[in-house]
Amino acid sequence: MALQATTTFCFSGPTFRSTPHSLTSKRSISIKSTSPSLTISNSRSNLKGRALSSDGSTQESPYVVCFGEMLIDFVPTTSGLSLADAPAFKKAPGGAPANVAVGIARLGGSSAFIGKVGEDEFGFMLANILKDNNVNNDGMRFDPGARTALAFVTLTSEGEREFMFYRNPSADMLLEESELDFDLIKKAKIFHYGSISLITEPCKSAHIAAAKAAKEAGVILSYDPNLRLPLWPSPDNAREEILSIWDTADIIKISEEEIVFLTKGEDPYDDNVVRKLFHPKLKLLLVTEGPEGCRYYTKDFSGRVHGLKVDVVDTTGAGDAFVAGILSQLANDLSLLQDEERLREALMFANACGALTVKVRGAIPALPTKEAVHEALLKAVV
């Protein structure tokens, strides 16, 4: 994989002490268009990609189309320190929907990404990373007036994260409905998204229009709220907007912490509490519990699948790897939703995807291949 985004950056001066607004200033670059038909024709050319099968042939379906943000995570090279005390940062591509798209492609599935980045070096790099990982990026757009989003991620000694975002506004927030590739959306098997794209306009309207088009085309809707409270105006606003699209999703993945937040403090381990979040049209509700694995709920059955125990380096992207794991299985066979034994096998696979991801710093660089997942599962059985 051509993942050049593993460079270590050392900041020793005041370079990043400016306000977030300073990151939106324009500088001279070689692209001057933001139309939906944009094709880059210089050294960063040929950004449009198709998902490839193992024999190199083009696969048009079943696509999982992921909608939302793609950004650069800066992860400290030393765990357990504050951002101010970190001696250096490792640059890593990220953004939950993009992580899922790459994760699916790396597992051998077909995926596409729809979102917006800046017409800047980071934006070009991210578009190329999608292409290099066999993700269709026909739906990617470039904005000349806003920068690609950045997130500085602090890691505790246990590998848990805290975020500081630079996006006032970043390009992902400025995606418009008129820029959507509706043909790509309508031919998807599954349309996956989060809640960050609901925070501001015009991206919120684009999100709603894309999900509506997918639903009308008979596409399965997959939702991971991916709560990032610092990005929202207030907790109440976050809760309201996250729940505003809850009843349209067919598949929802949620964490224990998000259950506590959405239910205003109720016990996330109480099945009766979780069932309150199960709306009548929902096909599958998944609750991730980190190293403990996950719980699953359908109309007909529910249960728990244990996770793999691994040494944690960085939990960034673990939930996205889990989502990629289960969606890659469901895209090939939706009948898993009616077969508990086979669904449990698919969730074991998804748990292993998440476990392998926490062993490496960053999100996209850490996402596993199908071969690595099978090997991990085999070792766990032995």
Short mmCIF file of all heavy atoms in Angstrom, two decimals, residues 293-332:
data_model
loop_
_atom_site.label_atom_id
_atom_site.label_comp_id
_atom_site.label_asym_id
_atom_site.label_seq_id
_atom_site.Cartn_x
_atom_site.Cartn_y
_atom_site.Cartn_z
N GLY A 293 -15.59 -6.77 23.03
CA GLY A 293 -16.32 -7.24 21.86
C GLY A 293 -17.53 -6.38 21.55
O GLY A 293 -17.45 -5.15 21.58
N CYS A 294 -18.66 -7.02 21.28
CA CYS A 294 -19.85 -6.25 20.90
C CYS A 294 -21.12 -7.01 21.29
O CYS A 294 -21.10 -8.21 21.53
CB CYS A 294 -19.85 -5.97 19.40
SG CYS A 294 -20.05 -7.45 18.37
N ARG A 295 -22.19 -6.25 21.35
CA ARG A 295 -23.53 -6.83 21.49
C ARG A 295 -24.31 -6.56 20.21
O ARG A 295 -24.06 -5.59 19.51
CB ARG A 295 -24.27 -6.20 22.67
CG ARG A 295 -23.83 -6.71 24.04
CD ARG A 295 -24.51 -5.94 25.15
NE ARG A 295 -23.86 -4.66 25.38
CZ ARG A 295 -24.44 -3.62 25.98
NH1 ARG A 295 -25.70 -3.71 26.39
NH2 ARG A 295 -23.76 -2.51 26.19
N TYR A 296 -25.25 -7.43 19.91
CA TYR A 296 -26.07 -7.27 18.70
C TYR A 296 -27.54 -7.44 19.05
O TYR A 296 -27.90 -8.23 19.93
CB TYR A 296 -25.65 -8.26 17.61
CG TYR A 296 -25.75 -9.71 18.02
CD1 TYR A 296 -26.92 -10.45 17.81
CD2 TYR A 296 -24.67 -10.36 18.63
CE1 TYR A 296 -27.01 -11.79 18.18
CE2 TYR A 296 -24.74 -11.68 19.02
CZ TYR A 296 -25.92 -12.40 18.79
OH TYR A 296 -26.01 -13.71 19.18
N TYR A 297 -28.38 -6.69 18.36
CA TYR A 297 -29.82 -6.72 18.58
C TYR A 297 -30.55 -6.69 17.25
O TYR A 297 -30.27 -5.83 16.41
CB TYR A 297 -30.28 -5.52 19.42
CG TYR A 297 -29.64 -5.40 20.78
CD1 TYR A 297 -28.37 -4.87 20.94
CD2 TYR A 297 -30.31 -5.85 21.92
CE1 TYR A 297 -27.77 -4.77 22.19
CE2 TYR A 297 -29.73 -5.76 23.18
CZ TYR A 297 -28.46 -5.22 23.30
OH TYR A 297 -27.87 -5.11 24.55
N THR A 298 -31.45 -7.62 17.03
CA THR A 298 -32.37 -7.58 15.90
C THR A 298 -33.78 -7.75 16.45
O THR A 298 -33.96 -7.88 17.67
CB THR A 298 -32.08 -8.70 14.87
OG1 THR A 298 -32.51 -9.96 15.41
CG2 THR A 298 -30.59 -8.77 14.52
N LYS A 299 -34.76 -7.78 15.58
CA LYS A 299 -36.13 -7.98 16.04
C LYS A 299 -36.31 -9.37 16.65
O LYS A 299 -37.15 -9.58 17.53
CB LYS A 299 -37.10 -7.80 14.88
CG LYS A 299 -37.20 -6.37 14.37
CD LYS A 299 -38.17 -6.28 13.20
CE LYS A 299 -38.26 -4.85 12.69
NZ LYS A 299 -39.16 -4.73 11.50
N ASP A 300 -35.51 -10.34 16.16
CA ASP A 300 -35.74 -11.73 16.53
C ASP A 300 -34.74 -12.30 17.53
O ASP A 300 -35.04 -13.30 18.19
CB ASP A 300 -35.72 -12.60 15.26
CG ASP A 300 -36.77 -12.17 14.26
OD1 ASP A 300 -37.91 -11.89 14.70
OD2 ASP A 300 -36.46 -12.12 13.06
N PHE A 301 -33.56 -11.72 17.64
CA PHE A 301 -32.56 -12.29 18.55
C PHE A 301 -31.55 -11.22 18.96
O PHE A 301 -31.45 -10.16 18.35
CB PHE A 301 -31.84 -13.48 17.90
CG PHE A 301 -31.32 -13.23 16.51
CD1 PHE A 301 -30.16 -12.48 16.31
CD2 PHE A 301 -31.98 -13.74 15.41
CE1 PHE A 301 -29.67 -12.25 15.03
CE2 PHE A 301 -31.51 -13.51 14.12
CZ PHE A 301 -30.34 -12.76 13.93
N SER A 302 -30.81 -11.54 20.01
CA SER A 302 -29.77 -10.63 20.49
C SER A 302 -28.72 -11.46 21.21
O SER A 302 -28.95 -12.62 21.59
CB SER A 302 -30.34 -9.56 21.42
OG SER A 302 -30.90 -10.16 22.59
N GLY A 303 -27.53 -10.86 21.40
CA GLY A 303 -26.48 -11.60 22.09
C GLY A 303 -25.18 -10.81 22.15
O GLY A 303 -25.15 -9.60 21.85
N ARG A 304 -24.12 -11.49 22.52
CA ARG A 304 -22.80 -10.88 22.67
C ARG A 304 -21.76 -11.73 21.95
O ARG A 304 -21.83 -12.96 21.98
CB ARG A 304 -22.45 -10.76 24.15
CG ARG A 304 -21.05 -10.19 24.41
CD ARG A 304 -20.69 -10.31 25.89
NE ARG A 304 -21.59 -9.54 26.73
CZ ARG A 304 -21.44 -8.23 26.98
NH1 ARG A 304 -20.42 -7.58 26.45
NH2 ARG A 304 -22.29 -7.60 27.75
N VAL A 305 -20.80 -11.05 21.32
CA VAL A 305 -19.67 -11.72 20.70
C VAL A 305 -18.40 -11.15 21.33
O VAL A 305 -18.18 -9.93 21.28
CB VAL A 305 -19.64 -11.54 19.17
CG1 VAL A 305 -18.41 -12.20 18.57
CG2 VAL A 305 -20.91 -12.11 18.54
N HIS A 306 -17.59 -11.99 21.93
CA HIS A 306 -16.40 -11.52 22.63
C HIS A 306 -15.32 -11.05 21.66
O HIS A 306 -15.21 -11.54 20.53
CB HIS A 306 -15.85 -12.62 23.55
CG HIS A 306 -16.75 -12.93 24.70
ND1 HIS A 306 -16.95 -12.06 25.75
CD2 HIS A 306 -17.54 -14.01 24.94
CE1 HIS A 306 -17.80 -12.59 26.61
NE2 HIS A 306 -18.18 -13.77 26.14
N GLY A 307 -14.51 -10.11 22.11
CA GLY A 307 -13.44 -9.58 21.29
C GLY A 307 -12.12 -10.29 21.51
O GLY A 307 -12.03 -11.21 22.33
N LEU A 308 -11.09 -9.86 20.78
CA LEU A 308 -9.74 -10.41 20.93
C LEU A 308 -8.94 -9.51 21.87
O LEU A 308 -9.05 -8.29 21.81
CB LEU A 308 -9.04 -10.48 19.57
CG LEU A 308 -9.70 -11.32 18.48
CD1 LEU A 308 -8.81 -11.33 17.24
CD2 LEU A 308 -9.95 -12.74 18.97
N LYS A 309 -8.14 -10.11 22.70
CA LYS A 309 -7.29 -9.35 23.62
C LYS A 309 -5.95 -9.06 22.93
O LYS A 309 -5.26 -9.99 22.50
CB LYS A 309 -7.04 -10.14 24.91
CG LYS A 309 -8.32 -10.58 25.62
CD LYS A 309 -9.17 -9.40 26.07
CE LYS A 309 -10.41 -9.86 26.84
NZ LYS A 309 -11.30 -8.75 27.21
N VAL A 310 -5.60 -7.78 22.82
CA VAL A 310 -4.35 -7.38 22.19
C VAL A 310 -3.72 -6.25 23.00
O VAL A 310 -4.37 -5.63 23.84
CB VAL A 310 -4.57 -6.89 20.73
CG1 VAL A 310 -5.11 -8.01 19.86
CG2 VAL A 310 -5.52 -5.69 20.70
N ASP A 311 -2.45 -5.99 22.73
CA ASP A 311 -1.78 -4.85 23.35
C ASP A 311 -2.18 -3.58 22.62
O ASP A 311 -2.00 -3.47 21.40
CB ASP A 311 -0.26 -5.04 23.29
CG ASP A 311 0.22 -6.20 24.15
OD1 ASP A 311 -0.43 -6.47 25.17
OD2 ASP A 311 1.23 -6.84 23.78
N VAL A 312 -2.71 -2.60 23.35
CA VAL A 312 -3.25 -1.39 22.75
C VAL A 312 -2.16 -0.34 22.59
O VAL A 312 -1.46 0.01 23.55
CB VAL A 312 -4.40 -0.83 23.60
CG1 VAL A 312 -4.90 0.50 23.01
CG2 VAL A 312 -5.54 -1.83 23.69
N VAL A 313 -2.02 0.16 21.37
CA VAL A 313 -1.12 1.28 21.08
C VAL A 313 -1.93 2.55 20.84
O VAL A 313 -1.62 3.61 21.37
CB VAL A 313 -0.23 0.97 19.86
CG1 VAL A 313 0.61 2.20 19.47
CG2 VAL A 313 0.67 -0.22 20.15
N ASP A 314 -3.00 2.45 20.05
CA ASP A 314 -3.80 3.62 19.69
C ASP A 314 -5.18 3.14 19.28
O ASP A 314 -5.31 2.34 18.35
CB ASP A 314 -3.11 4.36 18.54
CG ASP A 314 -3.92 5.56 18.01
OD1 ASP A 314 -4.90 5.95 18.68
OD2 ASP A 314 -3.56 6.09 16.96
N THR A 315 -6.22 3.60 19.96
CA THR A 315 -7.59 3.16 19.66
C THR A 315 -8.22 3.89 18.48
O THR A 315 -9.34 3.58 18.09
CB THR A 315 -8.49 3.32 20.89
OG1 THR A 315 -8.49 4.69 21.30
CG2 THR A 315 -8.01 2.44 22.04
N THR A 316 -7.50 4.87 17.89
CA THR A 316 -8.04 5.61 16.75
C THR A 316 -8.38 4.65 15.61
O THR A 316 -7.54 3.86 15.19
CB THR A 316 -7.02 6.64 16.24
OG1 THR A 316 -6.65 7.51 17.30
CG2 THR A 316 -7.59 7.45 15.09
N GLY A 317 -9.61 4.73 15.12
CA GLY A 317 -10.03 3.93 13.97
C GLY A 317 -10.54 2.54 14.30
O GLY A 317 -10.99 1.83 13.40
N ALA A 318 -10.51 2.15 15.57
CA ALA A 318 -10.93 0.79 15.92
C ALA A 318 -12.42 0.57 15.61
O ALA A 318 -12.79 -0.47 15.04
CB ALA A 318 -10.66 0.51 17.40
N GLY A 319 -13.25 1.54 15.98
CA GLY A 319 -14.67 1.42 15.68
C GLY A 319 -14.94 1.42 14.19
O GLY A 319 -15.84 0.70 13.70
N ASP A 320 -14.17 2.20 13.43
CA ASP A 320 -14.34 2.24 11.97
C ASP A 320 -13.92 0.92 11.35
O ASP A 320 -14.53 0.44 10.39
CB ASP A 320 -13.53 3.39 11.38
CG ASP A 320 -13.89 4.73 11.99
OD1 ASP A 320 -15.08 4.92 12.34
OD2 ASP A 320 -13.00 5.59 12.13
N ALA A 321 -12.85 0.32 11.88
CA ALA A 321 -12.42 -0.99 11.39
C ALA A 321 -13.49 -2.04 11.66
O ALA A 321 -13.76 -2.92 10.81
CB ALA A 321 -11.11 -1.39 12.05
N PHE A 322 -14.12 -1.96 12.83
CA PHE A 322 -15.23 -2.86 13.16
C PHE A 322 -16.37 -2.70 12.15
O PHE A 322 -16.90 -3.68 11.62
CB PHE A 322 -15.73 -2.58 14.58
CG PHE A 322 -16.98 -3.32 14.95
CD1 PHE A 322 -16.91 -4.58 15.51
CD2 PHE A 322 -18.22 -2.75 14.73
CE1 PHE A 322 -18.07 -5.28 15.85
CE2 PHE A 322 -19.40 -3.44 15.05
CZ PHE A 322 -19.32 -4.71 15.62
N VAL A 323 -16.73 -1.44 11.89
CA VAL A 323 -17.81 -1.17 10.93
C VAL A 323 -17.44 -1.70 9.55
O VAL A 323 -18.26 -2.33 8.86
CB VAL A 323 -18.12 0.33 10.86
CG1 VAL A 323 -19.10 0.63 9.73
CG2 VAL A 323 -18.69 0.82 12.19
N ALA A 324 -16.20 -1.47 9.13
CA ALA A 324 -15.75 -1.98 7.83
C ALA A 324 -15.87 -3.50 7.79
O ALA A 324 -16.29 -4.08 6.78
CB ALA A 324 -14.32 -1.55 7.56
N GLY A 325 -15.51 -4.14 8.90
CA GLY A 325 -15.57 -5.59 8.95
C GLY A 325 -16.98 -6.13 8.78
O GLY A 325 -17.21 -7.05 7.98
N ILE A 326 -17.93 -5.56 9.50
CA ILE A 326 -19.30 -6.09 9.41
C ILE A 326 -19.97 -5.68 8.10
O ILE A 326 -20.68 -6.47 7.48
CB ILE A 326 -20.15 -5.68 10.64
CG1 ILE A 326 -21.49 -6.41 10.63
CG2 ILE A 326 -20.34 -4.18 10.71
CD1 ILE A 326 -21.39 -7.94 10.67
N LEU A 327 -19.73 -4.46 7.62
CA LEU A 327 -20.36 -4.03 6.36
C LEU A 327 -19.80 -4.80 5.17
O LEU A 327 -20.52 -5.07 4.21
CB LEU A 327 -20.19 -2.53 6.16
CG LEU A 327 -20.93 -1.61 7.13
CD1 LEU A 327 -20.81 -0.15 6.68
CD2 LEU A 327 -22.40 -1.99 7.27
N SER A 328 -18.52 -5.15 5.22
CA SER A 328 -17.95 -5.93 4.12
C SER A 328 -18.63 -7.30 4.03
O SER A 328 -18.79 -7.84 2.93
CB SER A 328 -16.44 -6.10 4.31
OG SER A 328 -16.14 -6.93 5.42
N GLN A 329 -19.01 -7.85 5.18
CA GLN A 329 -19.72 -9.13 5.18
C GLN A 329 -21.17 -8.97 4.72
O GLN A 329 -21.66 -9.76 3.90
CB GLN A 329 -19.71 -9.71 6.60
CG GLN A 329 -18.32 -9.89 7.20
CD GLN A 329 -17.51 -10.96 6.53
OE1 GLN A 329 -17.93 -12.11 6.47
NE2 GLN A 329 -16.36 -10.59 6.00
N LEU A 330 -21.83 -7.93 5.21
CA LEU A 330 -23.24 -7.72 4.86
C LEU A 330 -23.42 -7.33 3.40
O LEU A 330 -24.44 -7.66 2.79
CB LEU A 330 -23.85 -6.66 5.77
CG LEU A 330 -24.05 -7.06 7.23
CD1 LEU A 330 -24.47 -5.85 8.07
CD2 LEU A 330 -25.08 -8.17 7.35
N ALA A 331 -22.46 -6.60 2.84
CA ALA A 331 -22.57 -6.19 1.44
C ALA A 331 -22.61 -7.41 0.52
O ALA A 331 -23.26 -7.39 -0.53
CB ALA A 331 -21.40 -5.28 1.05
N ASN A 332 -21.93 -8.46 0.92
CA ASN A 332 -21.92 -9.69 0.12
C ASN A 332 -23.13 -10.56 0.38
O ASN A 332 -23.52 -11.34 -0.50
CB ASN A 332 -20.65 -10.49 0.41
CG ASN A 332 -19.42 -9.85 -0.20
OD1 ASN A 332 -19.47 -9.32 -1.30
ND2 ASN A 332 -18.32 -9.90 0.53
#
